[in-house]
Coordinates of all heavy atoms in Angstrom, one line a residue:
M16 N 0.8 -1.2 0.0 CA 0.0 0.0 0.0 C 0.9 1.2 0.0 O 1.8 1.4 0.8 CB -0.9 0.0 1.2 CG -1.8 1.1 1.4 SD -2.9 0.9 2.8 CE -4.0 2.2 2.6
S17 N 0.7 2.1 -0.9 CA 1.5 3.4 -1.0 C 0.9 4.4 -0.1 O -0.3 4.4 0.3 CB 1.5 3.9 -2.5 OG 0.2 4.2 -2.9
E18 N 1.7 5.4 0.3 CA 1.2 6.4 1.2 C 0.4 7.5 0.4 O 0.7 7.8 -0.7 CB 2.4 7.0 1.9 CG 3.4 7.8 1.1 CD 4.6 8.3 1.9 OE1 4.6 8.2 3.1 OE2 5.5 8.8 1.2
S19 N -0.5 8.1 1.1 CA -1.3 9.2 0.6 C -0.4 10.4 0.5 O 0.6 10.5 1.2 CB -2.5 9.4 1.4 OG -2.1 9.9 2.7
P20 N -0.9 11.4 -0.2 CA -0.1 12.7 -0.2 C 0.0 13.3 1.2 O 1.0 13.8 1.6 CB -1.0 13.6 -1.1 CG -1.6 12.7 -2.1 CD -1.9 11.4 -1.2
Q21 N -1.1 13.2 2.0 CA -1.1 13.7 3.4 C 0.0 12.9 4.2 O 0.7 13.5 5.0 CB -2.5 13.5 4.0 CG -3.5 14.5 3.4 CD -4.1 14.0 2.1 OE1 -3.8 12.9 1.6 NE2 -5.0 14.8 1.6
Q22 N 0.0 11.6 4.0 CA 1.0 10.8 4.7 C 2.5 11.2 4.3 O 3.4 11.3 5.1 CB 0.8 9.3 4.5 CG -0.4 8.8 5.2 CD -0.8 7.4 4.7 OE1 -0.7 7.0 3.6 NE2 -1.3 6.6 5.7
A23 N 2.6 11.4 3.0 CA 3.9 11.8 2.5 C 4.4 13.2 3.1 O 5.5 13.4 3.5 CB 3.9 11.9 1.0
L24 N 3.4 14.1 3.2 CA 3.7 15.4 3.8 C 4.1 15.3 5.2 O 5.0 16.0 5.7 CB 2.6 16.4 3.6 CG 2.4 16.9 2.2 CD1 1.1 17.7 2.0 CD2 3.5 17.8 1.7
A25 N 3.4 14.5 6.0 CA 3.7 14.2 7.4 C 5.1 13.6 7.5 O 5.8 14.0 8.4 CB 2.6 13.3 8.0
R26 N 5.4 12.7 6.6 CA 6.7 12.1 6.7 C 7.8 13.1 6.4 O 8.8 13.2 7.1 CB 6.8 10.9 5.7 CG 8.2 10.3 5.6 CD 8.2 9.1 4.6 NE 7.7 9.5 3.3 CZ 8.3 10.2 2.4 NH1 9.5 10.7 2.6 NH2 7.7 10.4 1.2
I27 N 7.6 14.0 5.4 CA 8.6 15.0 5.1 C 8.7 16.0 6.3 O 9.8 16.4 6.7 CB 8.2 15.7 3.8 CG1 8.3 14.8 2.6 CG2 9.0 17.0 3.6 CD1 7.7 15.3 1.3
R28 N 7.6 16.4 6.8 CA 7.6 17.3 8.0 C 8.4 16.7 9.1 O 9.2 17.4 9.7 CB 6.2 17.7 8.4 CG 6.1 18.7 9.5 CD 4.6 19.0 9.9 NE 3.8 17.8 10.2 CZ 2.9 17.3 9.4 NH1 2.5 17.9 8.3 NH2 2.2 16.3 9.8
D29 N 8.1 15.5 9.4 CA 8.8 14.8 10.5 C 10.3 14.7 10.2 O 11.2 14.8 11.1 CB 8.2 13.4 10.8 CG 6.8 13.5 11.4 OD1 6.4 14.6 11.8 OD2 6.1 12.4 11.4
T30 N 10.7 14.4 9.0 CA 12.1 14.2 8.6 C 12.8 15.6 8.7 O 13.9 15.6 9.3 CB 12.2 13.7 7.1 OG1 11.6 12.4 7.1 CG2 13.6 13.6 6.7
V31 N 12.2 16.6 8.2 CA 12.8 18.0 8.3 C 12.9 18.4 9.8 O 14.0 18.9 10.2 CB 12.0 19.0 7.5 CG1 12.5 20.4 7.8 CG2 12.2 18.6 6.0
Q32 N 11.9 18.1 10.6 CA 12.0 18.5 12.0 C 13.1 17.7 12.7 O 13.9 18.4 13.4 CB 10.6 18.1 12.7 CG 10.6 18.4 14.2 CD 9.3 18.0 14.8 OE1 8.3 18.6 14.5 NE2 9.3 17.0 15.7
A33 N 13.2 16.5 12.5 CA 14.3 15.7 13.1 C 15.7 16.2 12.6 O 16.6 16.3 13.4 CB 14.1 14.2 12.7
A34 N 15.8 16.5 11.3 CA 17.0 17.0 10.7 C 17.4 18.3 11.4 O 18.6 18.6 11.7 CB 16.9 17.2 9.2
E35 N 16.5 19.2 11.5 CA 16.7 20.5 12.2 C 17.2 20.3 13.6 O 18.1 21.0 14.1 CB 15.5 21.4 12.1 CG 15.3 22.0 10.7 CD 14.2 23.0 10.7 OE1 14.5 24.2 11.2 OE2 13.1 22.7 10.2
N36 N 16.5 19.4 14.3 CA 16.9 19.2 15.7 C 18.3 18.6 15.8 O 18.9 18.8 16.9 CB 15.8 18.3 16.4 CG 14.6 19.1 16.7 OD1 14.6 20.3 17.0 ND2 13.4 18.4 16.7
A37 N 18.7 17.9 14.8 CA 20.0 17.2 14.8 C 21.1 18.1 14.2 O 22.2 17.7 14.2 CB 19.9 15.9 14.1
G38 N 20.6 19.3 13.6 CA 21.6 20.1 12.9 C 22.1 19.5 11.7 O 23.3 19.7 11.3
R39 N 21.3 18.7 11.0 CA 21.7 17.9 9.8 C 21.2 18.5 8.5 O 20.1 18.1 8.0 CB 21.3 16.4 10.0 CG 21.9 15.7 11.1 CD 23.3 15.2 10.8 NE 23.4 14.5 9.6 CZ 23.2 13.2 9.4 NH1 22.9 12.4 10.5 NH2 23.3 12.6 8.2
L40 N 21.9 19.4 8.0 CA 21.5 20.1 6.7 C 21.4 19.0 5.6 O 20.5 19.1 4.7 CB 22.5 21.1 6.3 CG 22.3 21.9 5.0 CD1 21.0 22.5 5.0 CD2 23.4 22.8 4.8
D41 N 22.3 18.0 5.6 CA 22.3 17.0 4.6 C 21.0 16.3 4.5 O 20.6 15.8 3.4 CB 23.4 16.0 4.8 CG 23.4 15.3 6.1 OD1 23.1 15.9 7.1 OD2 23.6 14.0 6.1
L42 N 20.2 16.1 5.6 CA 18.9 15.5 5.6 C 17.8 16.4 5.2 O 16.7 15.9 4.8 CB 18.7 14.9 7.0 CG 19.7 13.8 7.5 CD1 19.3 13.3 8.9 CD2 19.7 12.7 6.5
M43 N 18.0 17.7 5.3 CA 17.0 18.7 4.9 C 17.1 19.1 3.5 O 16.1 19.3 2.8 CB 17.2 20.0 5.8 CG 17.0 19.9 7.2 SD 17.4 21.4 8.1 CE 16.3 22.6 7.3
R44 N 18.3 19.2 3.0 CA 18.6 19.7 1.6 C 17.8 19.1 0.5 O 17.3 19.8 -0.4 CB 20.1 19.6 1.4 CG 20.5 20.2 0.0 CD 20.2 21.7 -0.1 NE 20.8 22.3 -1.2 CZ 20.1 22.5 -2.4 NH1 18.9 22.1 -2.5 NH2 20.7 23.1 -3.4
P45 N 17.5 17.8 0.5 CA 16.7 17.2 -0.6 C 15.3 17.8 -0.7 O 14.7 17.7 -1.7 CB 16.6 15.7 -0.2 CG 17.8 15.5 0.6 CD 18.0 16.7 1.4
F46 N 14.8 18.4 0.4 CA 13.4 19.0 0.3 C 13.4 20.5 0.0 O 12.3 21.1 0.0 CB 12.8 18.7 1.7 CG 12.7 17.3 2.0 CD1 13.6 16.7 3.0 CD2 11.8 16.4 1.4 CE1 13.5 15.4 3.3 CE2 11.8 15.1 1.7 CZ 12.6 14.6 2.6
F47 N 14.6 21.1 -0.3 CA 14.6 22.5 -0.7 C 14.2 22.7 -2.1 O 14.9 22.2 -3.0 CB 16.0 23.0 -0.5 CG 16.5 23.2 1.0 CD1 15.7 22.8 2.0 CD2 17.6 23.9 1.2 CE1 16.1 23.0 3.3 CE2 18.1 24.1 2.5 CZ 17.3 23.6 3.6
A48 N 13.1 23.4 -2.4 CA 12.8 23.8 -3.7 C 13.7 24.9 -4.2 O 14.2 25.6 -3.4 CB 11.3 24.3 -3.7
E49 N 13.9 24.9 -5.5 CA 14.8 25.9 -6.1 C 14.3 27.4 -5.8 O 15.1 28.3 -5.8 CB 15.0 25.7 -7.6 CG 15.8 24.4 -7.9 CD 17.2 24.4 -7.1 OE1 17.9 25.5 -7.1 OE2 17.5 23.4 -6.6
D50 N 13.0 27.5 -5.6 CA 12.5 28.9 -5.3 C 12.1 29.1 -3.9 O 11.4 30.0 -3.5 CB 11.2 29.2 -6.2 CG 10.1 28.2 -6.0 OD1 10.3 27.2 -5.3 OD2 9.0 28.4 -6.5
L51 N 12.8 28.3 -3.0 CA 12.6 28.4 -1.6 C 12.9 29.8 -1.1 O 13.9 30.4 -1.6 CB 13.5 27.4 -0.9 CG 13.7 27.5 0.7 CD1 12.4 27.2 1.3 CD2 14.8 26.6 1.1
V52 N 12.1 30.4 -0.2 CA 12.4 31.6 0.5 C 12.4 31.4 2.0 O 11.4 30.9 2.5 CB 11.4 32.7 0.1 CG1 11.7 34.0 0.8 CG2 11.4 32.9 -1.4
I53 N 13.5 31.8 2.7 CA 13.5 31.8 4.1 C 13.4 33.2 4.6 O 14.1 34.1 4.2 CB 14.9 31.2 4.7 CG1 15.0 29.7 4.3 CG2 15.0 31.3 6.2 CD1 16.3 29.0 4.7
M54 N 12.4 33.4 5.5 CA 12.2 34.7 6.0 C 12.3 34.7 7.5 O 11.4 34.6 8.3 CB 10.8 35.2 5.6 CG 10.7 35.4 4.1 SD 9.1 35.9 3.5 CE 8.8 37.4 4.3
A55 N 13.6 34.7 8.0 CA 13.9 34.6 9.4 C 13.9 36.0 10.1 O 14.3 36.9 9.4 CB 15.3 33.9 9.6
P56 N 13.4 36.1 11.3 CA 13.3 37.4 11.9 C 14.7 38.0 12.1 O 15.7 37.3 12.4 CB 12.8 37.0 13.3 CG 12.1 35.7 13.2 CD 12.8 35.0 12.1
G57 N 14.8 39.3 11.7 CA 16.0 40.0 11.8 C 17.0 39.8 10.6 O 18.1 40.3 10.7
F58 N 16.6 39.0 9.6 CA 17.5 38.8 8.5 C 16.7 39.2 7.2 O 15.5 39.1 7.1 CB 17.8 37.3 8.4 CG 18.7 36.8 9.5 CD1 18.2 36.3 10.7 CD2 20.1 36.9 9.3 CE1 19.0 35.9 11.7 CE2 20.9 36.5 10.4 CZ 20.4 36.0 11.5
A59 N 17.5 39.5 6.2 CA 16.9 39.8 4.9 C 16.4 38.4 4.3 O 17.0 37.4 4.7 CB 18.0 40.3 3.9
P60 N 15.4 38.4 3.5 CA 15.0 37.1 2.9 C 16.1 36.4 2.2 O 17.0 37.0 1.6 CB 13.9 37.6 1.9 CG 13.4 38.9 2.4 CD 14.6 39.5 3.0
V61 N 16.1 35.1 2.4 CA 17.1 34.3 1.7 C 16.4 33.5 0.6 O 15.4 32.8 0.9 CB 17.8 33.3 2.7 CG1 18.7 32.3 2.0 CG2 18.4 34.0 3.9
I62 N 16.8 33.7 -0.6 CA 16.1 33.2 -1.8 C 16.9 32.1 -2.6 O 18.1 32.4 -2.9 CB 15.7 34.3 -2.7 CG1 14.9 35.4 -2.0 CG2 14.9 33.8 -3.9 CD1 14.6 36.7 -2.7
G63 N 16.3 31.0 -2.8 CA 16.9 29.9 -3.6 C 17.5 28.8 -2.7 O 17.9 29.0 -1.5
A64 N 17.5 27.6 -3.2 CA 17.9 26.4 -2.5 C 19.4 26.5 -2.0 O 19.7 26.2 -0.9 CB 17.7 25.2 -3.3
D65 N 20.3 26.9 -2.9 CA 21.7 27.0 -2.5 C 21.9 28.1 -1.5 O 22.6 27.8 -0.5 CB 22.5 27.3 -3.8 CG 22.6 26.1 -4.7 OD1 22.3 25.0 -4.3 OD2 22.9 26.3 -5.9
A66 N 21.3 29.2 -1.6 CA 21.4 30.3 -0.6 C 20.8 29.8 0.7 O 21.4 30.1 1.8 CB 20.7 31.6 -1.1
A67 N 19.7 29.1 0.7 CA 19.1 28.6 1.9 C 20.0 27.6 2.6 O 20.1 27.6 3.8 CB 17.7 28.0 1.6
A68 N 20.6 26.7 1.8 CA 21.5 25.7 2.4 C 22.7 26.5 3.1 O 23.1 26.1 4.2 CB 22.0 24.8 1.3
E69 N 23.2 27.5 2.4 CA 24.3 28.2 3.0 C 23.9 28.9 4.3 O 24.6 28.9 5.3 CB 24.8 29.3 2.0 CG 26.0 30.1 2.5 CD 26.5 31.0 1.5 OE1 26.3 30.8 0.3 OE2 27.1 32.1 1.9
F70 N 22.7 29.5 4.3 CA 22.2 30.2 5.5 C 22.0 29.2 6.6 O 22.4 29.4 7.8 CB 20.8 30.8 5.2 CG 20.1 31.5 6.3 CD1 20.5 32.8 6.7 CD2 19.1 30.8 7.0 CE1 19.9 33.4 7.8 CE2 18.5 31.4 8.1 CZ 18.9 32.7 8.5
M71 N 21.4 28.0 6.3 CA 21.1 27.0 7.4 C 22.5 26.4 7.9 O 22.5 26.1 9.1 CB 20.2 25.9 6.8 CG 18.8 26.3 6.5 SD 18.0 27.1 8.0 CE 18.0 25.8 9.1
A72 N 23.5 26.3 7.1 CA 24.8 25.8 7.5 C 25.3 26.8 8.6 O 25.8 26.4 9.6 CB 25.7 25.6 6.4
G73 N 25.2 28.1 8.3 CA 25.7 29.1 9.2 C 24.9 29.1 10.5 O 25.4 29.2 11.6
F74 N 23.6 28.9 10.4 CA 22.6 28.8 11.5 C 23.0 27.6 12.4 O 23.1 27.8 13.6 CB 21.2 28.7 11.0 CG 20.1 28.7 12.0 CD1 19.7 29.8 12.6 CD2 19.5 27.5 12.3 CE1 18.7 29.8 13.6 CE2 18.5 27.5 13.3 CZ 18.1 28.7 13.9
F75 N 23.2 26.5 11.8 CA 23.5 25.3 12.6 C 24.9 25.4 13.2 O 25.2 24.8 14.3 CB 23.4 24.0 11.8 CG 22.0 23.6 11.4 CD1 21.8 23.0 10.2 CD2 21.0 23.8 12.3 CE1 20.5 22.6 9.8 CE2 19.7 23.4 11.9 CZ 19.4 22.8 10.7
A76 N 25.8 26.1 12.6 CA 27.1 26.3 13.2 C 27.0 27.2 14.5 O 27.9 27.1 15.4 CB 28.1 27.0 12.2
Q77 N 26.0 28.0 14.6 CA 25.9 29.0 15.7 C 24.9 28.5 16.8 O 25.1 28.9 17.9 CB 25.4 30.3 15.2 CG 26.3 31.1 14.4 CD 25.8 32.4 14.0 OE1 24.9 32.9 14.6 NE2 26.3 33.0 12.9
F78 N 24.0 27.6 16.4 CA 22.9 27.2 17.4 C 22.7 25.7 17.4 O 22.7 25.0 16.4 CB 21.6 27.9 17.0 CG 21.6 29.4 17.1 CD1 21.7 30.1 15.9 CD2 21.5 30.1 18.3 CE1 21.7 31.5 15.9 CE2 21.5 31.4 18.3 CZ 21.6 32.2 17.1
E79 N 22.3 25.3 18.6 CA 21.7 24.0 18.8 C 20.2 24.3 18.8 O 19.7 25.3 19.3 CB 22.0 23.4 20.2 CG 23.5 22.9 20.3 CD 23.8 22.3 21.6 OE1 22.9 21.9 22.3 OE2 25.0 22.3 22.0
V80 N 19.4 23.4 18.1 CA 18.0 23.7 17.8 C 17.1 22.7 18.5 O 17.4 21.5 18.4 CB 17.7 23.7 16.3 CG1 16.3 24.0 16.0 CG2 18.6 24.7 15.6
E81 N 16.1 23.2 19.1 CA 15.0 22.3 19.6 C 13.7 22.9 18.9 O 13.3 24.0 19.2 CB 14.9 22.3 21.1 CG 13.8 21.4 21.7 CD 13.8 21.5 23.2 OE1 14.8 21.5 23.8 OE2 12.6 21.4 23.7
L82 N 13.1 22.1 18.0 CA 12.0 22.5 17.2 C 10.9 21.5 17.1 O 11.2 20.3 17.1 CB 12.6 22.8 15.8 CG 11.6 23.1 14.7 CD1 11.2 24.6 14.8 CD2 12.2 22.9 13.4
S83 N 9.7 22.0 17.1 CA 8.6 21.1 16.8 C 7.6 21.8 15.9 O 7.4 23.0 16.1 CB 7.9 20.7 18.1 OG 7.3 21.8 18.8
Y84 N 7.1 21.0 15.0 CA 6.1 21.5 14.1 C 4.7 20.9 14.4 O 4.7 19.7 14.8 CB 6.4 21.2 12.6 CG 7.6 21.9 12.0 CD1 8.7 21.2 11.6 CD2 7.6 23.3 11.9 CE1 9.8 21.9 11.0 CE2 8.7 23.9 11.4 CZ 9.8 23.2 10.9 OH 10.9 23.9 10.4
A85 N 3.7 21.7 14.2 CA 2.3 21.2 14.4 C 1.5 21.6 13.2 O 1.4 22.7 12.8 CB 1.7 21.7 15.6
S86 N 1.0 20.6 12.4 CA 0.2 20.8 11.2 C -1.2 21.1 11.6 O -1.8 20.4 12.5 CB 0.3 19.6 10.3 OG -0.5 19.9 9.2
A87 N -1.8 22.2 11.1 CA -3.2 22.5 11.3 C -4.1 22.2 10.1 O -5.3 21.9 10.3 CB -3.3 24.0 11.6
E88 N -3.5 22.2 8.9 CA -4.3 21.9 7.7 C -3.4 21.5 6.6 O -2.3 22.1 6.4 CB -5.0 23.2 7.3 CG -5.8 23.1 6.0 CD -6.4 24.4 5.6 OE1 -5.8 25.5 5.9 OE2 -7.4 24.4 4.9
V89 N -3.7 20.4 5.9 CA -3.0 20.0 4.7 C -4.0 20.0 3.6 O -5.1 19.5 3.6 CB -2.5 18.5 4.9 CG1 -1.9 18.0 3.6 CG2 -1.5 18.5 6.1
V90 N -3.6 20.7 2.5 CA -4.4 20.8 1.3 C -3.6 20.2 0.1 O -2.4 20.7 -0.1 CB -4.8 22.2 1.0 CG1 -5.6 22.3 -0.3 CG2 -5.6 22.8 2.2
V91 N -4.1 19.3 -0.6 CA -3.5 18.8 -1.8 C -4.3 19.1 -3.0 O -5.5 18.8 -3.0 CB -3.3 17.2 -1.7 CG1 -2.6 16.6 -2.9 CG2 -2.5 16.9 -0.4
M92 N -3.7 19.7 -4.0 CA -4.4 20.1 -5.3 C -3.5 19.6 -6.4 O -2.6 20.3 -6.8 CB -4.6 21.6 -5.3 CG -5.5 22.1 -4.2 SD -5.8 23.9 -4.2 CE -4.1 24.4 -3.8
G93 N -3.8 18.5 -6.9 CA -2.9 17.9 -8.0 C -1.5 17.7 -7.6 O -1.3 17.0 -6.6
E94 N -0.6 18.4 -8.3 CA 0.8 18.3 -7.9 C 1.3 19.2 -6.8 O 2.5 19.2 -6.4 CB 1.7 18.5 -9.2 CG 1.5 17.4 -10.2 CD 2.4 17.6 -11.4 OE1 3.3 18.4 -11.4 OE2 2.2 16.8 -12.4
W95 N 0.4 20.1 -6.4 CA 0.7 21.1 -5.4 C 0.1 20.7 -4.0 O -0.9 20.1 -4.0 CB 0.2 22.5 -5.7 CG 0.9 23.1 -6.9 CD1 0.6 22.9 -8.2 CD2 2.0 24.0 -6.8 NE1 1.5 23.6 -8.9 CE2 2.4 24.3 -8.1 CE3 2.7 24.5 -5.7 CZ2 3.4 25.2 -8.4 CZ3 3.7 25.4 -6.0 CH2 4.1 25.7 -7.3
A96 N 0.8 21.0 -3.0 CA 0.3 20.7 -1.6 C 0.8 21.8 -0.7 O 1.9 22.4 -0.8 CB 0.8 19.4 -1.1
F97 N 0.0 22.1 0.3 CA 0.3 23.1 1.3 C 0.1 22.4 2.7 O -0.9 21.7 2.9 CB -0.6 24.3 1.2 CG -0.5 25.0 -0.1 CD1 -1.3 24.6 -1.2 CD2 0.4 26.0 -0.3 CE1 -1.2 25.2 -2.4 CE2 0.5 26.6 -1.5 CZ -0.3 26.2 -2.6
D98 N 1.0 22.7 3.6 CA 0.9 22.2 5.0 C 1.0 23.4 5.8 O 2.1 24.0 6.0 CB 2.0 21.2 5.3 CG 1.9 20.6 6.7 OD1 1.1 21.1 7.5 OD2 2.7 19.7 7.0
R99 N -0.1 23.9 6.3 CA -0.2 25.1 7.2 C -0.2 24.7 8.6 O -0.9 23.8 9.0 CB -1.5 25.9 6.8 CG -1.6 27.2 7.7 CD -2.9 27.9 7.4 NE -4.1 27.1 7.7 CZ -4.6 27.0 9.0 NH1 -4.0 27.6 10.0 NH2 -5.6 26.2 9.2
G100 N 0.6 25.4 9.4 CA 0.6 25.1 10.8 C 1.5 26.0 11.6 O 1.6 27.2 11.2
S101 N 2.0 25.6 12.7 CA 2.9 26.4 13.5 C 4.1 25.6 13.9 O 4.2 24.4 13.7 CB 2.1 26.8 14.7 OG 1.7 25.7 15.5
G102 N 5.0 26.4 14.5 CA 6.2 25.7 15.0 C 6.7 26.4 16.2 O 6.3 27.6 16.5
R103 N 7.4 25.7 17.0 CA 8.0 26.2 18.3 C 9.4 25.9 18.3 O 9.8 24.8 18.0 CB 7.3 25.6 19.5 CG 7.8 26.2 20.8 CD 6.9 25.7 21.9 NE 7.4 26.2 23.2 CZ 7.0 27.4 23.7 NH1 6.2 28.1 23.1 NH2 7.5 27.8 24.9
Q104 N 10.3 26.9 18.5 CA 11.7 26.7 18.3 C 12.4 27.3 19.5 O 12.1 28.5 20.0 CB 12.2 27.4 17.1 CG 13.6 27.2 16.7 CD 14.0 27.9 15.4 OE1 13.8 29.1 15.3 NE2 14.5 27.2 14.5
T105 N 13.4 26.6 20.1 CA 14.3 27.1 21.1 C 15.7 27.0 20.6 O 16.1 25.9 20.1 CB 14.2 26.3 22.4 OG1 12.8 26.3 22.9 CG2 15.1 26.8 23.5
L106 N 16.4 28.1 20.7 CA 17.8 28.1 20.2 C 18.8 28.3 21.3 O 18.6 29.1 22.2 CB 18.0 29.2 19.2 CG 17.1 29.3 18.0 CD1 17.3 30.6 17.2 CD2 17.2 28.0 17.2
K107 N 19.8 27.4 21.3 CA 20.9 27.5 22.3 C 22.2 27.9 21.6 O 22.6 27.1 20.8 CB 21.0 26.2 23.1 CG 22.1 26.2 24.1 CD 22.2 24.9 24.8 CE 23.3 24.9 25.8 NZ 23.6 23.5 26.3
P108 N 22.7 29.1 21.9 CA 24.0 29.4 21.2 C 25.1 28.4 21.5 O 25.2 28.0 22.7 CB 24.3 30.8 21.8 CG 23.0 31.3 22.3 CD 22.3 30.1 22.8
K109 N 25.8 28.1 20.5 CA 27.0 27.2 20.7 C 28.2 28.0 21.1 O 28.4 29.1 20.5 CB 27.4 26.4 19.4 CG 26.3 25.4 19.0 CD 26.7 24.7 17.7 CE 25.7 23.7 17.3 NZ 26.1 23.0 16.1
G110 N 28.8 27.7 22.2 CA 30.0 28.4 22.6 C 29.7 29.7 23.3 O 30.5 30.7 23.2
G111 N 28.5 29.9 23.8 CA 28.2 31.2 24.5 C 27.4 32.1 23.7 O 26.6 31.7 22.8
V112 N 27.6 33.4 23.8 CA 26.9 34.5 23.2 C 27.2 34.6 21.7 O 28.4 34.5 21.4 CB 27.1 35.8 23.9 CG1 26.3 36.9 23.2 CG2 26.7 35.7 25.4
V113 N 26.2 34.7 20.9 CA 26.4 34.9 19.5 C 26.3 36.4 19.2 O 25.4 37.0 19.6 CB 25.3 34.1 18.7 CG1 25.5 34.4 17.2 CG2 25.5 32.6 18.9
M114 N 27.2 36.9 18.4 CA 27.2 38.3 18.0 C 26.6 38.4 16.6 O 26.9 37.7 15.8 CB 28.6 38.9 18.1 CG 29.2 38.8 19.5 SD 28.3 39.5 20.8 CE 28.8 41.2 20.7

């Protein structure tokens, strides 16, 4: 039995969450779309998969991450899907204060 699109999205969400918590960019990178945009508080938007990977590598070098995602709604329309929800993140600076 193959997984439904909703199951696939849940698996991807869980994989990315575990990768972020482990600081494992290599496990997240396969899910980066070429038009990915990261809009982190206090930073200019980061646009593109390669730029996002570079940003996340720097992020993981500076912080230990404790993150959890909660899905509120999954919508699948043909080849497109949206997973709307919330996340909770705690960051611990590596090696003390980050400047």
Side-chain angles (χ1 to χ4, degrees):
M16 180 177 188
S17 64
E18 65 184 352
S19 70
Q21 291 81 359
Q22 290 169 321
L24 287 170
R26 178 180 47 77
I27 292 167
R28 182 179 55 251
D29 292 346
T30 299
V31 170
Q32 177 180 294
E35 287 189 74
N36 284 328
R39 296 281 309 271
L40 177 59
D41 61 316
L42 300 177
M43 295 173 59
R44 181 63 172 93
F46 301 105
F47 287 7
E49 289 306 315
D50 59 353
L51 171 67
V52 177
I53 295 177
M54 297 175 62
F58 292 90
V61 177
I62 302 169
D65 291 339
E69 184 178 332
F70 177 83
M71 292 305 297
F74 183 77
F75 288 146
Q77 293 183 20
F78 297 101
E79 291 178 21
V80 179
E81 184 180 319
L82 172 79
S83 63
Y84 291 121
S86 181
E88 176 184 29
V89 174
V90 177
V91 178
M92 296 177 294
E94 294 183 12
W95 289 87
F97 301 89
D98 184 353
R99 181 183 61 82
S101 61
R103 182 172 180 87
Q104 184 179 59
T105 302
L106 304 176
K107 180 181 174 188
K109 293 181 176 178
V112 177
V113 175
M114 302 302 277

